[in-house]
Amino acid sequence: MKQLMLGNAAAARGLYEAGVSVVSSYPGTPSTEITEELAKYDDVYSEWAPNEKVAMEVAFGASLAGKRSFCGMKHVGLNVAADPLFTVSYTGVNGGMVIAVADDAGMHSSQNEQDSRHYARSAKLPMLEPSDSAEALAFARQAYELSERFDCPVLLKMCTRVAHSQSVVETGERVAPPAKPYEKNIAKYVMTPANAIRRHPHVEERMALLAEYAETSDLNRVEAGSDRSVGVITSSTSYQYVKEVCGDRYPVLKLGMVWPLPERKLRDFAASVEKLVVVEELDSFLETYLRELGLACVGKDVFPMLGEFSQNLVAEKLGVAPHTGTKLDENIPPRPPAMCAGCPHRGLFYTLSRNKCTVLGDIGCYTLGAAAPLGAIEMTLCMGASVSSIHGFNKALGSESEHKTVAVIGDSTFMHSGMTGLANIAYNRSNSTVIILDNSITGMTGHQQNPTTGFNIKGEPAGKIDLEALCRAMGFRRVRVVDPYDLDACDKAVREELAADEPSVIISRRPCALLKYVRHSAPLRVNADKCVGCKSCMKIGCPALSFRDGRARVDETLCVGCGVCGQLCKFGALESTAKED
Amino acid sequence: METKNIMIVGVGGQGSLLASKLLGHLLLAQGYDVKVSEVHGMSQRGGSVVTYVRYGDKVASPVIDKGEADYIVSFELLEAARWLEYLKPGGQIVTSTQQIDPMPVITGAASYPDKLVEKLRVAGAKVDALDCLGLAEQAGSSKATNIVLMGRLSHYFDLPEEAWQRSLEAMVPAKFLDLNRKAFALGKNT
């Protein structure tokens, strides 16, 4: 049956149909739904791992044991998992192993727009790149065959517009191959220098065989065109933009396997057209290879390295008139993302802002603490960097900094890569203050469980790590918990821990206001007789508060009654609507 | 058939996902090729969000570009204004009159423009504006704003009412079906 399916769901379906049996991932936009969809199948073991390195090693372990395995992550997650990636390329696999990596050109929800194709080339692994949901399903299935045939993991590269677009697919049945037996093989799987040096030739031979496969595989296809003045080489979503603009006018070499590349096919295609144009988002990956082959082409001299492409951009660059519309002649204020009404992070960031703290931040919803009006966070780099870098910051600046600087990190990010940074503070002794923003969920990626929540990916009871006990076990004597809805308690905790002459951890604990099990208080309402229009409540930047006709106003459909604004009002103008019931 | 384009715009959390699912189901059932593109993640948190629905004989790009939208369906007035440039000349805007202050307005750094419906019309757009939130509340829940908008949009489509109702049944949980049928009718007939 034909159905519309999200690219990520289609990839999950393909993995399922190919018989994947062990799945381990860390959530990251735009990759998350692949694993969420796999978790819906009862005949697949799925889990959220604490980070991508762990996930990839879990998947490798399952492959070693003889089962087909999978791990999925966003582009920056592959940086975390790069260590196992480069060496599993040497050991190869037993059961098939597929690694999905989802790029985010345009940075809809990421801290950079790195191009993951470079990993395929540098780790010497094949990479398949679908251009819609039907290909995501088909390529995911095919990836297992390639993995087992060529004895290596296969990278399945998604991007935001493939991952988060729905298009038509036809599903098939699950055909799980029989598990391969596990056999002890020290020479293949123990990567000591002596063994690894004997594995390296296998890697190079494999890539040569894969390049040969790429010459004849239907993953890479030439689509005929009527006008040979231009020939386009492209892949992924760029292919869709080219087809949108040009239809069947120009011949297109559509690459489904972007590494290794088919040299003869590329040369033949180049020879068949007058001018070669490479259309690829982000880096000049295909173009660089063509230039290495001595093939002249139009590429990044015309197309941008930055951001996402679109049909208008491709049209303009190919000399076709782009569509245009009319802009409203009006100053339209931007609508950046903001912390939700009732977000537990808000009270804590207000406290840090009020105390003029230097705040080193991390990756999560709470990065929004950098936005106006709170403007509290001064640094965000990558997962876990808050905890590691505060140590360096304080070592560099000494006591003056130690008494005003804090690191903030969410519960899931702390499990991902904050613990090692905390161990460094405990070991190398800086007087640093770390605040764990424990909202009991992985928030930004859409509510995934993690090792501190007590539930697994299916929502069943699971192990639960005790953050206080963990910090104490590392040697922190000052570990305290505050409720971020209580501004006085937050203020006291931050002041005392910054004043202390030893490192400390503050756990700011309150579940995400969007979690279904969280019970909210009645919304507040502004008593217009008491409100003097001082705008004190507006300082926290709550989307439920606005200012109309000289008075504050609460949007009662948004307000969850957290009461933080009320604590800022000296006139008691923000009253609960609960009393009226 | 040439590809047709519907943009659904609003503020993260307003329910555009269900609207695009409904349209996807409806158009696929009519035998069209369909692509729906949405953005998940950080921009959901109170930010400006956009969903693209495209249908025709064969759809290539999953996104809609400037000057291409046949319809802009908007949950919020400022968002209709923000995305105007994506409307095709002669295209139709169907918008709720709800206004939600974005953060720069809340902080006082900017003001919410006035008379947006008039200004959109002056700019050449056909605008059908109605209080979808009020109608959704009348149907029984503010969350049904998306279906009120779909009811309104159905005016502009040459499809039998039955087809819309079948997609509603397929996409809405059974216990909310009556409420949503009511919301759809209010949007269509008001």
Side-chain angles (χ1 to χ4, degrees), chain A residues 85-86 89-90 116-125 203 259 285:
Chain A
L85 181 79
F86 278 72
S89 170
Y90 276 40
S116 295
R117 293 177 299 174
H118 298 295
Y119 271 112
R121 188 167 189 173
S122 55
K124 305 183 187 233
L125 292 170
V203 174
W259 194 258
F285 183 81

mmCIF file of all heavy atoms in Angstrom, chain A residues 85-86 89-90 116-125 203 259 285:
data_model
loop_
_atom_site.group_PDB
_atom_site.id
_atom_site.type_symbol
_atom_site.label_atom_id
_atom_site.label_comp_id
_atom_site.label_asym_id
_atom_site.label_seq_id
_atom_site.Cartn_x
_atom_site.Cartn_y
_atom_site.Cartn_z
ATOM 1 N N LEU A 85 34.382 4.769 15.186
ATOM 2 C CA LEU A 85 34.122 4.744 13.737
ATOM 3 C C LEU A 85 35.377 4.403 12.946
ATOM 4 O O LEU A 85 35.361 3.534 12.067
ATOM 5 C CB LEU A 85 33.586 6.111 13.282
ATOM 6 C CG LEU A 85 33.248 6.193 11.788
ATOM 7 C CD1 LEU A 85 31.899 5.533 11.511
ATOM 8 C CD2 LEU A 85 33.228 7.634 11.287
ATOM 9 N N PHE A 86 36.478 5.089 13.264
ATOM 10 C CA PHE A 86 37.681 4.923 12.450
ATOM 11 C C PHE A 86 38.302 3.527 12.612
ATOM 12 O O PHE A 86 38.984 3.052 11.715
ATOM 13 C CB PHE A 86 38.722 6.011 12.788
ATOM 14 C CG PHE A 86 38.461 7.310 12.073
ATOM 15 C CD1 PHE A 86 37.395 8.112 12.438
ATOM 16 C CD2 PHE A 86 39.265 7.720 11.027
ATOM 17 C CE1 PHE A 86 37.129 9.313 11.783
ATOM 18 C CE2 PHE A 86 39.016 8.914 10.353
ATOM 19 C CZ PHE A 86 37.945 9.705 10.736
ATOM 20 N N SER A 89 36.171 0.493 11.127
ATOM 21 C CA SER A 89 36.506 0.408 9.701
ATOM 22 C C SER A 89 37.606 -0.639 9.479
ATOM 23 O O SER A 89 37.641 -1.294 8.445
ATOM 24 C CB SER A 89 36.963 1.786 9.216
ATOM 25 O OG SER A 89 37.506 1.711 7.921
ATOM 26 N N TYR A 90 38.492 -0.802 10.445
ATOM 27 C CA TYR A 90 39.567 -1.804 10.353
ATOM 28 C C TYR A 90 39.089 -3.207 10.726
ATOM 29 O O TYR A 90 39.386 -4.176 10.033
ATOM 30 C CB TYR A 90 40.721 -1.426 11.296
ATOM 31 C CG TYR A 90 41.716 -0.438 10.726
ATOM 32 C CD1 TYR A 90 41.301 0.645 9.963
ATOM 33 C CD2 TYR A 90 43.084 -0.592 10.965
ATOM 34 C CE1 TYR A 90 42.205 1.556 9.454
ATOM 35 C CE2 TYR A 90 44.004 0.315 10.456
ATOM 36 C CZ TYR A 90 43.566 1.390 9.701
ATOM 37 O OH TYR A 90 44.463 2.285 9.205
ATOM 38 N N SER A 116 29.001 15.768 6.812
ATOM 39 C CA SER A 116 29.416 14.437 7.287
ATOM 40 C C SER A 116 30.040 13.567 6.210
ATOM 41 O O SER A 116 30.598 12.514 6.521
ATOM 42 C CB SER A 116 28.223 13.686 7.870
ATOM 43 O OG SER A 116 27.757 14.339 9.003
ATOM 44 N N ARG A 117 29.932 13.973 4.963
ATOM 45 C CA ARG A 117 30.496 13.126 3.899
ATOM 46 C C ARG A 117 32.005 12.956 4.072
ATOM 47 O O ARG A 117 32.574 11.931 3.681
ATOM 48 C CB ARG A 117 30.177 13.732 2.529
ATOM 49 C CG ARG A 117 28.685 13.697 2.202
ATOM 50 C CD ARG A 117 28.389 14.368 0.891
ATOM 51 N NE ARG A 117 28.770 15.776 0.894
ATOM 52 C CZ ARG A 117 28.723 16.587 -0.160
ATOM 53 N NH1 ARG A 117 28.300 16.106 -1.314
ATOM 54 N NH2 ARG A 117 29.071 17.859 -0.076
ATOM 55 N N HIS A 118 32.646 13.958 4.686
ATOM 56 C CA HIS A 118 34.096 13.849 4.897
ATOM 57 C C HIS A 118 34.456 12.634 5.761
ATOM 58 O O HIS A 118 35.538 12.083 5.638
ATOM 59 C CB HIS A 118 34.637 15.112 5.561
ATOM 60 C CG HIS A 118 34.446 16.350 4.723
ATOM 61 N ND1 HIS A 118 35.070 16.518 3.514
ATOM 62 C CD2 HIS A 118 33.692 17.453 4.913
ATOM 63 C CE1 HIS A 118 34.711 17.700 3.000
ATOM 64 N NE2 HIS A 118 33.875 18.272 3.827
ATOM 65 N N TYR A 119 33.534 12.274 6.670
ATOM 66 C CA TYR A 119 33.808 11.108 7.525
ATOM 67 C C TYR A 119 33.919 9.827 6.704
ATOM 68 O O TYR A 119 34.716 8.950 7.022
ATOM 69 C CB TYR A 119 32.718 10.946 8.583
ATOM 70 C CG TYR A 119 33.003 11.716 9.838
ATOM 71 C CD1 TYR A 119 32.241 12.802 10.205
ATOM 72 C CD2 TYR A 119 34.067 11.346 10.676
ATOM 73 C CE1 TYR A 119 32.508 13.514 11.357
ATOM 74 C CE2 TYR A 119 34.341 12.049 11.828
ATOM 75 C CZ TYR A 119 33.559 13.132 12.167
ATOM 76 O OH TYR A 119 33.846 13.825 13.306
ATOM 77 N N ALA A 120 33.085 9.713 5.671
ATOM 78 C CA ALA A 120 33.129 8.506 4.846
ATOM 79 C C ALA A 120 34.500 8.390 4.194
ATOM 80 O O ALA A 120 35.110 7.314 4.179
ATOM 81 C CB ALA A 120 32.034 8.559 3.786
ATOM 82 N N ARG A 121 34.982 9.509 3.689
ATOM 83 C CA ARG A 121 36.272 9.477 3.004
ATOM 84 C C ARG A 121 37.409 9.234 3.991
ATOM 85 O O ARG A 121 38.293 8.423 3.737
ATOM 86 C CB ARG A 121 36.482 10.801 2.252
ATOM 87 C CG ARG A 121 37.706 10.747 1.375
ATOM 88 C CD ARG A 121 37.802 11.876 0.370
ATOM 89 N NE ARG A 121 38.921 11.552 -0.523
ATOM 90 C CZ ARG A 121 39.250 12.220 -1.609
ATOM 91 N NH1 ARG A 121 38.548 13.261 -1.979
ATOM 92 N NH2 ARG A 121 40.279 11.846 -2.345
ATOM 93 N N SER A 122 37.384 9.922 5.125
ATOM 94 C CA SER A 122 38.528 9.799 6.037
ATOM 95 C C SER A 122 38.502 8.505 6.840
ATOM 96 O O SER A 122 39.553 7.957 7.149
ATOM 97 C CB SER A 122 38.635 11.029 6.942
ATOM 98 O OG SER A 122 37.440 11.230 7.628
ATOM 99 N N ALA A 123 37.310 7.991 7.167
ATOM 100 C CA ALA A 123 37.256 6.708 7.889
ATOM 101 C C ALA A 123 37.238 5.525 6.926
ATOM 102 O O ALA A 123 37.248 4.380 7.348
ATOM 103 C CB ALA A 123 36.036 6.662 8.799
ATOM 104 N N LYS A 124 37.187 5.815 5.630
ATOM 105 C CA LYS A 124 37.221 4.794 4.582
ATOM 106 C C LYS A 124 36.050 3.823 4.698
ATOM 107 O O LYS A 124 36.209 2.611 4.890
ATOM 108 C CB LYS A 124 38.563 4.057 4.595
ATOM 109 C CG LYS A 124 39.714 5.056 4.472
ATOM 110 C CD LYS A 124 41.068 4.426 4.397
ATOM 111 C CE LYS A 124 42.125 5.519 4.453
ATOM 112 N NZ LYS A 124 43.099 5.495 3.385
ATOM 113 N N LEU A 125 34.868 4.423 4.592
ATOM 114 C CA LEU A 125 33.638 3.647 4.687
ATOM 115 C C LEU A 125 32.678 4.081 3.594
ATOM 116 O O LEU A 125 32.680 5.244 3.185
ATOM 117 C CB LEU A 125 32.969 3.887 6.056
ATOM 118 C CG LEU A 125 33.716 3.324 7.263
ATOM 119 C CD1 LEU A 125 33.086 3.826 8.547
ATOM 120 C CD2 LEU A 125 33.729 1.800 7.229
ATOM 121 N N VAL A 203 41.316 -2.838 4.404
ATOM 122 C CA VAL A 203 40.507 -1.618 4.269
ATOM 123 C C VAL A 203 40.675 -1.032 2.871
ATOM 124 O O VAL A 203 39.695 -0.708 2.194
ATOM 125 C CB VAL A 203 40.916 -0.580 5.349
ATOM 126 C CG1 VAL A 203 40.184 0.746 5.131
ATOM 127 C CG2 VAL A 203 40.637 -1.124 6.750
ATOM 128 N N TRP A 259 30.249 7.870 -1.437
ATOM 129 C CA TRP A 259 31.606 7.420 -1.218
ATOM 130 C C TRP A 259 31.654 5.913 -1.125
ATOM 131 O O TRP A 259 30.796 5.376 -0.433
ATOM 132 C CB TRP A 259 32.224 8.065 0.039
ATOM 133 C CG TRP A 259 33.700 7.844 0.055
ATOM 134 C CD1 TRP A 259 34.407 6.939 0.793
ATOM 135 C CD2 TRP A 259 34.654 8.516 -0.773
ATOM 136 N NE1 TRP A 259 35.729 7.008 0.476
ATOM 137 C CE2 TRP A 259 35.914 7.959 -0.477
ATOM 138 C CE3 TRP A 259 34.563 9.515 -1.753
ATOM 139 C CZ2 TRP A 259 37.077 8.383 -1.131
ATOM 140 C CZ3 TRP A 259 35.721 9.933 -2.386
ATOM 141 C CH2 TRP A 259 36.952 9.367 -2.069
ATOM 142 N N PHE A 285 32.509 18.543 -1.784
ATOM 143 C CA PHE A 285 32.973 17.167 -1.628
ATOM 144 C C PHE A 285 33.087 16.450 -2.971
ATOM 145 O O PHE A 285 34.150 15.933 -3.323
ATOM 146 C CB PHE A 285 32.012 16.426 -0.694
ATOM 147 C CG PHE A 285 32.412 15.016 -0.397
ATOM 148 C CD1 PHE A 285 33.368 14.743 0.573
ATOM 149 C CD2 PHE A 285 31.839 13.948 -1.076
ATOM 150 C CE1 PHE A 285 33.730 13.431 0.854
ATOM 151 C CE2 PHE A 285 32.203 12.638 -0.798
ATOM 152 C CZ PHE A 285 33.153 12.384 0.165
#
